Short mmCIF file of all heavy atoms in Angstrom, two decimals:
data_model
loop_
_atom_site.label_atom_id
_atom_site.label_comp_id
_atom_site.label_asym_id
_atom_site.label_seq_id
_atom_site.Cartn_x
_atom_site.Cartn_y
_atom_site.Cartn_z
N GLU A 397 5.46 -6.45 10.23
CA GLU A 397 6.64 -5.66 10.64
C GLU A 397 7.23 -6.19 11.94
O GLU A 397 8.45 -6.26 12.08
CB GLU A 397 6.27 -4.19 10.80
CG GLU A 397 6.18 -3.44 9.49
CD GLU A 397 6.04 -1.95 9.72
OE1 GLU A 397 4.96 -1.52 10.17
OE2 GLU A 397 7.03 -1.24 9.48
N ASN A 398 6.36 -6.55 12.88
CA ASN A 398 6.83 -7.11 14.15
C ASN A 398 7.55 -8.45 13.97
O ASN A 398 8.27 -8.89 14.84
CB ASN A 398 5.68 -7.28 15.14
CG ASN A 398 5.20 -5.96 15.70
OD1 ASN A 398 5.93 -4.98 15.70
ND2 ASN A 398 3.97 -5.92 16.16
N HIS A 399 7.32 -9.07 12.82
CA HIS A 399 7.97 -10.34 12.51
C HIS A 399 9.07 -10.18 11.47
O HIS A 399 9.45 -11.12 10.78
CB HIS A 399 6.93 -11.38 12.08
CG HIS A 399 6.11 -11.87 13.22
ND1 HIS A 399 4.99 -11.20 13.67
CD2 HIS A 399 6.27 -12.92 14.05
CE1 HIS A 399 4.49 -11.84 14.71
NE2 HIS A 399 5.25 -12.89 14.96
N GLY A 400 9.58 -8.96 11.33
CA GLY A 400 10.78 -8.71 10.53
C GLY A 400 10.58 -8.38 9.07
O GLY A 400 11.54 -8.33 8.31
N VAL A 401 9.34 -8.16 8.63
CA VAL A 401 9.08 -7.82 7.23
C VAL A 401 8.94 -6.30 7.13
O VAL A 401 8.01 -5.72 7.67
CB VAL A 401 7.81 -8.52 6.69
CG1 VAL A 401 7.59 -8.18 5.23
CG2 VAL A 401 7.89 -10.04 6.89
N ALA A 402 9.88 -5.69 6.45
CA ALA A 402 9.91 -4.22 6.34
C ALA A 402 8.91 -3.70 5.31
O ALA A 402 8.55 -4.40 4.37
CB ALA A 402 11.31 -3.76 5.95
N LYS A 403 8.51 -2.47 5.53
CA LYS A 403 7.67 -1.79 4.55
C LYS A 403 8.60 -1.24 3.46
O LYS A 403 9.02 -0.09 3.50
CB LYS A 403 6.86 -0.67 5.19
CG LYS A 403 5.71 -1.17 6.03
CD LYS A 403 4.84 -0.04 6.51
CE LYS A 403 3.64 -0.58 7.26
NZ LYS A 403 2.79 0.50 7.77
N ALA A 404 8.91 -2.09 2.49
CA ALA A 404 9.89 -1.75 1.45
C ALA A 404 9.24 -1.56 0.09
O ALA A 404 9.93 -1.50 -0.92
CB ALA A 404 10.93 -2.86 1.38
N ALA A 405 7.92 -1.48 0.04
CA ALA A 405 7.20 -1.30 -1.22
C ALA A 405 6.16 -0.19 -1.03
O ALA A 405 6.01 0.34 0.06
CB ALA A 405 6.52 -2.61 -1.61
N THR A 406 5.48 0.13 -2.11
CA THR A 406 4.38 1.11 -2.02
C THR A 406 3.18 0.58 -2.80
O THR A 406 3.31 -0.24 -3.71
CB THR A 406 4.77 2.48 -2.60
OG1 THR A 406 5.13 2.34 -3.96
CG2 THR A 406 5.90 3.11 -1.81
N TRP A 407 2.02 1.10 -2.44
CA TRP A 407 0.77 0.76 -3.13
C TRP A 407 -0.04 2.05 -3.24
O TRP A 407 0.01 2.89 -2.34
CB TRP A 407 0.00 -0.31 -2.37
CG TRP A 407 -1.29 -0.68 -3.02
CD1 TRP A 407 -2.55 -0.38 -2.59
CD2 TRP A 407 -1.47 -1.43 -4.23
NE1 TRP A 407 -3.49 -0.89 -3.44
CE2 TRP A 407 -2.84 -1.55 -4.47
CE3 TRP A 407 -0.59 -2.01 -5.15
CZ2 TRP A 407 -3.37 -2.22 -5.57
CZ3 TRP A 407 -1.11 -2.68 -6.23
CH2 TRP A 407 -2.48 -2.78 -6.44
N ILE A 408 -0.78 2.16 -4.30
CA ILE A 408 -1.64 3.32 -4.51
C ILE A 408 -3.09 2.85 -4.48
O ILE A 408 -3.49 2.03 -5.31
CB ILE A 408 -1.33 4.01 -5.86
CG1 ILE A 408 0.11 4.53 -5.86
CG2 ILE A 408 -2.32 5.14 -6.13
CD1 ILE A 408 0.58 5.05 -7.21
N ARG A 409 -3.82 3.32 -3.51
CA ARG A 409 -5.26 3.03 -3.45
C ARG A 409 -6.00 4.02 -4.35
O ARG A 409 -5.52 5.12 -4.59
CB ARG A 409 -5.79 3.20 -2.03
CG ARG A 409 -5.34 2.15 -1.07
CD ARG A 409 -6.19 2.25 0.21
NE ARG A 409 -5.69 1.37 1.23
CZ ARG A 409 -5.88 0.06 1.26
NH1 ARG A 409 -6.55 -0.53 0.32
NH2 ARG A 409 -5.39 -0.67 2.24
N ILE A 410 -7.17 3.62 -4.77
CA ILE A 410 -8.00 4.55 -5.51
C ILE A 410 -9.19 4.94 -4.65
O ILE A 410 -9.68 4.15 -3.85
CB ILE A 410 -8.47 3.98 -6.86
CG1 ILE A 410 -9.14 2.63 -6.69
CG2 ILE A 410 -7.31 3.89 -7.84
CD1 ILE A 410 -9.78 2.10 -7.96
N LYS A 411 -9.61 6.19 -4.80
CA LYS A 411 -10.76 6.68 -4.06
C LYS A 411 -12.03 6.14 -4.72
O LYS A 411 -12.00 5.61 -5.83
CB LYS A 411 -10.79 8.21 -4.10
CG LYS A 411 -9.60 8.86 -3.44
CD LYS A 411 -9.69 10.37 -3.60
CE LYS A 411 -8.42 11.04 -3.12
NZ LYS A 411 -8.46 12.49 -3.34
N LYS A 412 -13.15 6.30 -4.03
CA LYS A 412 -14.43 5.84 -4.57
C LYS A 412 -14.77 6.49 -5.90
O LYS A 412 -15.45 5.91 -6.73
CB LYS A 412 -15.55 6.07 -3.55
CG LYS A 412 -15.43 5.16 -2.35
CD LYS A 412 -16.56 5.35 -1.38
CE LYS A 412 -16.36 4.42 -0.19
NZ LYS A 412 -17.40 4.52 0.79
N ASP A 413 -14.25 7.71 -6.11
CA ASP A 413 -14.52 8.39 -7.38
C ASP A 413 -13.56 7.95 -8.49
O ASP A 413 -13.62 8.45 -9.61
CB ASP A 413 -14.48 9.90 -7.21
CG ASP A 413 -13.10 10.45 -6.88
OD1 ASP A 413 -12.12 9.66 -6.86
OD2 ASP A 413 -12.99 11.66 -6.64
N GLY A 414 -12.65 7.01 -8.18
CA GLY A 414 -11.74 6.48 -9.19
C GLY A 414 -10.40 7.18 -9.31
O GLY A 414 -9.55 6.75 -10.07
N THR A 415 -10.20 8.24 -8.54
CA THR A 415 -8.91 8.95 -8.61
C THR A 415 -7.93 8.31 -7.63
O THR A 415 -8.31 7.83 -6.57
CB THR A 415 -9.06 10.45 -8.29
OG1 THR A 415 -9.61 10.59 -6.98
CG2 THR A 415 -9.98 11.13 -9.30
N PRO A 416 -6.65 8.30 -7.99
CA PRO A 416 -5.65 7.67 -7.11
C PRO A 416 -5.31 8.52 -5.90
O PRO A 416 -5.29 9.75 -5.98
CB PRO A 416 -4.43 7.49 -8.02
CG PRO A 416 -4.61 8.44 -9.13
CD PRO A 416 -6.09 8.71 -9.27
N ARG A 417 -5.06 7.86 -4.80
CA ARG A 417 -4.54 8.52 -3.61
C ARG A 417 -3.02 8.50 -3.69
O ARG A 417 -2.45 7.78 -4.52
CB ARG A 417 -4.99 7.75 -2.36
CG ARG A 417 -6.47 7.81 -2.13
CD ARG A 417 -6.85 7.04 -0.90
NE ARG A 417 -8.30 7.11 -0.77
CZ ARG A 417 -8.96 6.83 0.32
NH1 ARG A 417 -8.31 6.43 1.38
NH2 ARG A 417 -10.25 6.92 0.36
N PRO A 418 -2.35 9.24 -2.82
CA PRO A 418 -0.88 9.18 -2.82
C PRO A 418 -0.41 7.76 -2.44
O PRO A 418 -1.08 7.04 -1.69
CB PRO A 418 -0.47 10.17 -1.73
CG PRO A 418 -1.65 11.06 -1.56
CD PRO A 418 -2.86 10.24 -1.88
N ALA A 419 0.73 7.37 -2.98
CA ALA A 419 1.30 6.07 -2.66
C ALA A 419 1.61 6.00 -1.16
O ALA A 419 2.01 6.99 -0.57
CB ALA A 419 2.57 5.85 -3.47
N TYR A 420 1.40 4.84 -0.57
CA TYR A 420 1.74 4.67 0.84
C TYR A 420 2.65 3.45 0.99
O TYR A 420 2.60 2.53 0.19
CB TYR A 420 0.48 4.53 1.71
CG TYR A 420 -0.31 3.26 1.49
CD1 TYR A 420 -0.08 2.14 2.30
CD2 TYR A 420 -1.29 3.17 0.51
CE1 TYR A 420 -0.79 0.98 2.12
CE2 TYR A 420 -2.01 2.00 0.33
CZ TYR A 420 -1.75 0.91 1.13
OH TYR A 420 -2.47 -0.25 0.95
N PRO A 421 3.52 3.48 2.00
CA PRO A 421 4.44 2.37 2.21
C PRO A 421 3.70 1.12 2.71
O PRO A 421 2.75 1.22 3.49
CB PRO A 421 5.42 2.88 3.26
CG PRO A 421 4.71 3.98 3.96
CD PRO A 421 3.71 4.54 2.98
N CYS A 422 4.16 -0.03 2.23
CA CYS A 422 3.59 -1.30 2.67
C CYS A 422 4.66 -2.38 2.51
O CYS A 422 5.70 -2.14 1.89
CB CYS A 422 2.33 -1.65 1.88
SG CYS A 422 2.59 -1.88 0.12
N THR A 423 4.40 -3.54 3.04
CA THR A 423 5.32 -4.65 2.86
C THR A 423 5.17 -5.20 1.45
O THR A 423 4.12 -5.03 0.82
CB THR A 423 5.05 -5.78 3.88
OG1 THR A 423 3.74 -6.30 3.64
CG2 THR A 423 5.19 -5.29 5.31
N LEU A 424 6.19 -5.85 0.96
CA LEU A 424 6.13 -6.46 -0.36
C LEU A 424 5.02 -7.51 -0.44
O LEU A 424 4.27 -7.54 -1.44
CB LEU A 424 7.49 -7.04 -0.75
CG LEU A 424 7.61 -7.62 -2.16
CD1 LEU A 424 7.27 -6.59 -3.23
CD2 LEU A 424 9.00 -8.19 -2.37
N PRO A 425 4.85 -8.38 0.57
CA PRO A 425 3.74 -9.33 0.49
C PRO A 425 2.37 -8.65 0.34
O PRO A 425 1.53 -9.11 -0.43
CB PRO A 425 3.83 -10.10 1.81
CG PRO A 425 5.28 -10.05 2.15
CD PRO A 425 5.72 -8.66 1.73
N THR A 426 2.15 -7.55 1.03
CA THR A 426 0.86 -6.86 0.93
C THR A 426 0.72 -6.18 -0.43
O THR A 426 -0.36 -6.20 -1.03
CB THR A 426 0.69 -5.86 2.08
OG1 THR A 426 0.60 -6.61 3.30
CG2 THR A 426 -0.56 -5.01 1.93
N ARG A 427 1.79 -5.62 -0.94
CA ARG A 427 1.72 -4.98 -2.25
C ARG A 427 1.35 -6.00 -3.33
O ARG A 427 0.48 -5.77 -4.16
CB ARG A 427 3.07 -4.34 -2.61
CG ARG A 427 2.98 -3.51 -3.87
CD ARG A 427 4.30 -3.47 -4.60
NE ARG A 427 4.22 -2.73 -5.83
CZ ARG A 427 3.57 -3.15 -6.92
NH1 ARG A 427 2.91 -4.26 -6.91
NH2 ARG A 427 3.57 -2.42 -8.02
N ILE A 428 1.98 -7.18 -3.29
CA ILE A 428 1.68 -8.22 -4.27
C ILE A 428 0.26 -8.75 -4.06
O ILE A 428 -0.48 -8.95 -5.02
CB ILE A 428 2.73 -9.34 -4.23
CG1 ILE A 428 4.07 -8.79 -4.74
CG2 ILE A 428 2.28 -10.55 -5.04
CD1 ILE A 428 5.24 -9.74 -4.61
#
């Protein structure tokens, strides 16, 4: 972000029990 890459994507992590957490904002490179 400090180098101009916006958090323009989202990713959904899964909990240890396998259930999804709410989507959180992230950069497109991190999402991919």
